[in-house]
Amino acid sequence: MLAGHQEYDVVVTAVAPAGTTVQADGHDGFIDQAEHPSWWSDTPRAAVGDRMRAVVLDATGTPPRFSDLPGDLRTARSLRHTEPPARLCPPPGGGRTVEWAAVEEALGVALPTDYKRLVEWYGGGLFAGVLRLLEPGCPDAMYDLVAQTAEREEVLAELWEAGEDKPSELHEGSARLVPRGYAEGAGHFLYWLVRPGTEPEEWTILLNEGRGPLREACPVSCGQFLLDVVAGTTTSFHFTDLDDVVDPEDRRRFAPDSQLLDQ
């Protein structure tokens, strides 16, 4: 049985003007002409017998729909990182609907798909008793993604002007930091490192120490970082000792902003 967002090695079995029929893991599938690189570039059109790496866009279709576009492959990989945390730390239910176009316009950047899914599943709140996820539209500006982005830009600019070293990664053209969360108590801020020409699904995490100038680069996505912290597999220096400071029962719990702000 084919599964959504999963990658497969596929073989082209037929080619038509509308797209390409492929076989994956014993199942037939279809790649629309606009979901093959040849539609967007000078890549040769698919031919019978070609082998390629493709991702399932819709496993319920007849036949299931695939894509061979690099962007779709990146998106699928980031989305797969949100599924294990949901099993380890179940969402509270209900979910959120967000006008992402308006949020992204306010920020001036498109946001990673895995982050959007996490917000839609969980909303903002606290994972593992320590890891805060910012959300857009939170009634408290301290936990609001857009408000914190503006505030942290001012704070960082003042620190750099005062003599704190600016991250070397930010000397690259229009590269910038966008906050996505922080460590409750310690105050370590977690930022996306937004680089020109880099797709949101390829952004990595830069951690800024809460009470000092130290920084830690974490070359993983938002979803993967969260999964590693919840599962206890993180290599981040600042989160490897959670078992010493977090109740084991809280390690795999999520506390939503709606609950925390009422306390």
Side-chain angles (χ1 to χ4, degrees):
M1 183 70 177
L2 300 176
H5 309 308
Q6 297 301 310
E7 295 177 44
Y8 296 88
D9 291 318
V10 304
V11 179
V12 176
T13 57
V15 176
T20 302
T21 301
V22 298
Q23 189 169 81
D25 200 26
H27 299 273
D28 288 333
F30 187 76
I31 299 177
D32 186 274
Q33 60 179 348
E35 289 155 359
H36 186 272
S38 60
W39 180 259
W40 306 99
S41 67
D42 57 2
T43 300
R45 293 191 62 186
V48 173
D50 283 354
R51 295 178 178 273
M52 64 186 75
R53 191 72 171 170
V55 64
V56 177
L57 297 182
D58 181 6
T60 65
T62 308
R65 282 183 52 231
F66 283 77
S67 174
D68 185 39
L69 296 178
D72 288 337
L73 287 162
R74 287 193 297 269
T75 297
R77 288 166 188 163
S78 70
L79 286 175
R80 290 201 297 273
H81 291 153
T82 67
E83 293 166 2
R87 292 193 294 269
L88 293 174
C89 182
R96 278 203 58 195
T97 299
V98 179
E99 294 293 336
W100 290 112
V103 174
E104 291 171 333
E105 181 178 1
L107 293 173
V109 293
L111 293 168
T113 306
D114 63 338
Y115 167 76
K116 295 179 184 178
R117 174 180 273 192
L118 287 170
V119 169
E120 290 169 353
W121 281 0
Y122 292 91
L126 198 63
F127 288 90
V130 66
L131 186 58
R132 171 76 69 166
L133 181 71
L134 300 179
E135 65 174 328
C138 182
D140 190 322
M142 180 64 187
Y143 311 120
D144 180 74
L145 175 69
V146 177
Q148 277 303 304
T149 297
E151 180 175 317
R152 297 310 300 176
E153 285 179 348
E154 292 183 5
V155 169
L156 291 173
E158 291 175 359
L159 289 173
W160 297 332
E161 187 175 348
E164 184 173 305
D165 288 340
K166 185 176 183 178
S168 59
E169 296 90 344
L170 298 184
H171 294 292
E172 179 186 346
S174 57
R176 58 184 288 209
L177 297 177
V178 174
R180 51 146 297 248
Y182 64 91
E184 192 86 359
H188 310 318
F189 254 90
L190 298 165
Y191 297 92
W192 283 296
L193 175 57
V194 181
R195 284 173 157 156
T198 303
E199 295 293 328
E201 277 64 45
E202 296 180 332
W203 293 349
T204 59
I205 304 299
L206 188 69
L207 183 149
N208 200 149
E209 186 182 24
R211 297 179 177 85
L214 298 181
R215 290 182 291 270
E216 179 185 49
C218 305
V220 294
S221 68
C222 173
Q224 183 65 57
F225 189 92
L226 174 62
L227 169 61
D228 290 341
V229 171
V230 171
T233 57
T234 182
T235 58
S236 168
F237 170 78
H238 299 280
F239 291 93
T240 52
D241 62 348
L242 280 190
D243 288 338
D244 297 331
V245 296
V246 175
D247 189 306
E249 293 185 359
D250 290 334
R251 186 61 180 263
R252 295 188 177 183
R253 285 180 180 171
F254 171 75
D257 281 339
S258 58
Q259 171 187 319
L260 296 170
L261 296 179
D262 285 339
Q263 294 179 351

